[in-house]
């Protein structure tokens, strides 16, 4: 699926390792920052916007955050973790389309709902995935990921995550398809992509504590569109296969 807010802020993931101890405490964190990301999925221009941050984590029960959306735990073992997953998916606004405004449709946000499963290989490495579907549309989305939390460097906490995302045909067409009418307006071939790979990305997340309760989170994401998404005329003619995102936030843990 397209770049989503969970790629933007990693404050909870980067909180000191006590957060993931066997007796995890409840976490309540708030914050705010700025993010810079593609103007629309597949676009080459970027825009900046303020980002609120909220994270509520109740170990063994569930969580809600602007990072990972809603998770309700139904499976909670020593290594396996899974349950219900919900998220908010951004579309593309008319104001961000630039020269494409009026030629291709703007897309309102949607809510996705499905399930997730995660396996913790070691204390520093876990792999997992989630499968979700639009609750008010036909799009379906699959994401697989592997995350590594290397040892802290002094006071600095950091993490590296590799992700792969795929879409079904309705979702792919929604973001990257070009209807005959739009093709005539843009003077490009019509494009009706099928299901398949959509994005691979590499994230680097850094957290710098400033006090016992506060810190600064930095997230850098390098993404590369794949398959029919990368070959869409919207991307090859007006956008970019490379998708970059950066964010910086100040976080306060209650």
């Amino acid at each position: 699926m397209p770049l989503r807010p969970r790629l933007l802020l990693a404050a909870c993931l980067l909180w000191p390792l006590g957060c993931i101890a066997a007796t995890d405490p409840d976490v309540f964190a708030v914050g705010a920052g700025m993010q810079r990301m593609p103007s629309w999925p597949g676009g080459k221009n970027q825009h900046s916007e303020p980002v609120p941050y909220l994270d509520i984590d109740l170990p063994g029960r569930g969580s809600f955050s602007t990072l990972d959306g809603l998770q309700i735990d139904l499976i909670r073992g020593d290594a396996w973790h899974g349950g219900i997953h919900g998220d908010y998916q951004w579309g593309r606004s008319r104001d961000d389309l630039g020269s494409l405004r009026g030629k291709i449709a703007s897309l309102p946000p949607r809510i996705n709902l499905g399930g997730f499963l995660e396996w913790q290989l070691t204390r520093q490495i876990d792999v997992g995935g989630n499968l979700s579907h639009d609750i008010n549309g036909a799009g379906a989305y699959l994401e697989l990921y592997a995350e590594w939390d290397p040892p802290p460097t002094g006071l600095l906490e950091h993490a590296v995550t590799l992700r792969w995302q795929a879409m079904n045909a309705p979702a792919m067409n929604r973001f990257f398809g070009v209807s005959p009418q739009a093709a005539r307006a843009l003077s490009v071939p019509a494009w009706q992509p099928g299901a398949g790979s959509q994005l691979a990305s590499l994230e680097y997340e850094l957290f710098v504590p400033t006090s016992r309760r506060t810190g600064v989170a930095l997230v850098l994401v390098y993404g590369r569109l794949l398959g029919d998404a990368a070959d869409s005329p919207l991307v090859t003619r007006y956008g970019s296969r490379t998708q970059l995102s950066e964010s910086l936030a100040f976080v306060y843990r209650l």
Side-chain angles (χ1 to χ4, degrees):
M1 64 187 298
L3 290 175
R4 304 185 306 181
R6 61 184 182 71
L7 302 178
L8 306 174
L9 297 175
C12 184
L13 288 176
L14 302 172
W15 209 268
L17 292 177
C19 281
I20 58 174
T23 55
D24 294 349
D26 294 347
V27 172
F28 297 89
V30 296
M34 292 294 296
Q35 80 178 38
R36 185 169 176 81
M37 63 184 296
S39 297
W40 42 274
K44 64 180 178 180
N45 297 322
Q46 291 190 311
H47 73 277
S48 299
E49 60 183 22
V51 179
Y53 176 81
L54 171 67
D55 181 75
I56 302 172
D57 188 6
L58 307 176
R61 290 165 286 175
S63 63
F64 176 76
S65 75
T66 50
L67 175 67
D68 290 317
L70 172 68
Q71 292 188 348
I72 299 176
D73 290 358
L74 301 178
I75 302 171
R76 184 72 181 186
D78 293 337
W80 290 98
H81 175 48
I84 297 172
H85 173 78
D87 209 350
Y88 185 82
Q89 181 191 72
W90 295 101
R92 59 188 183 212
S93 71
R94 183 179 176 86
D95 292 340
D96 287 330
L97 288 176
S99 63
L100 298 179
R101 186 185 305 176
K103 299 177 181 177
I104 64 171
S106 57
L107 303 175
R110 286 183 175 178
I111 296 176
N112 311 136
L113 187 64
F116 76 97
L117 187 64
E118 185 175 279
W119 180 27
Q120 188 171 23
L121 281 75
T122 70
R123 191 160 181 78
Q124 285 77 38
I125 301 174
D126 54 65
V127 297
N130 59 72
L131 180 65
S132 59
H133 196 283
D134 293 334
I135 65 172
N136 58 341
Y141 314 90
L142 172 66
E143 178 185 73
L144 303 178
Y145 62 87
E147 180 186 332
W148 174 46
D149 298 317
T153 304
L155 295 176
L156 305 181
E157 302 285 333
H158 43 178
V160 178
T161 306
L162 179 65
R163 302 182 187 272
W164 172 80
Q165 300 170 8
M167 293 179 170
N168 68 352
M172 193 77 80
N173 268 285
R174 181 170 186 258
F175 286 100
F176 301 101
V178 181
S179 68
Q181 179 181 359
R184 288 192 295 271
L186 297 173
S187 299
V188 299
W191 188 251
Q192 188 173 5
S197 298
Q198 180 257 327
L199 181 72
S201 63
L202 179 66
E203 303 175 33
Y204 175 72
E205 303 154 351
L206 175 66
F207 180 75
V208 183
T210 55
S211 73
R212 187 172 67 89
R213 292 187 176 273
T214 63
V216 176
L218 170 68
V219 182
L220 305 175
V221 183
Y222 173 86
R224 186 75 175 172
L225 291 174
L226 307 171
D228 284 351
D231 294 334
S232 168
L234 295 180
V235 176
T236 58
R237 183 73 64 87
Y238 298 98
S240 173
R241 294 178 179 178
T242 298
Q243 301 283 277
L244 302 175
S245 178
E246 311 89 28
S247 64
L248 183 67
F250 179 79
V251 180
Y252 179 80
R253 189 180 178 192
L254 304 176

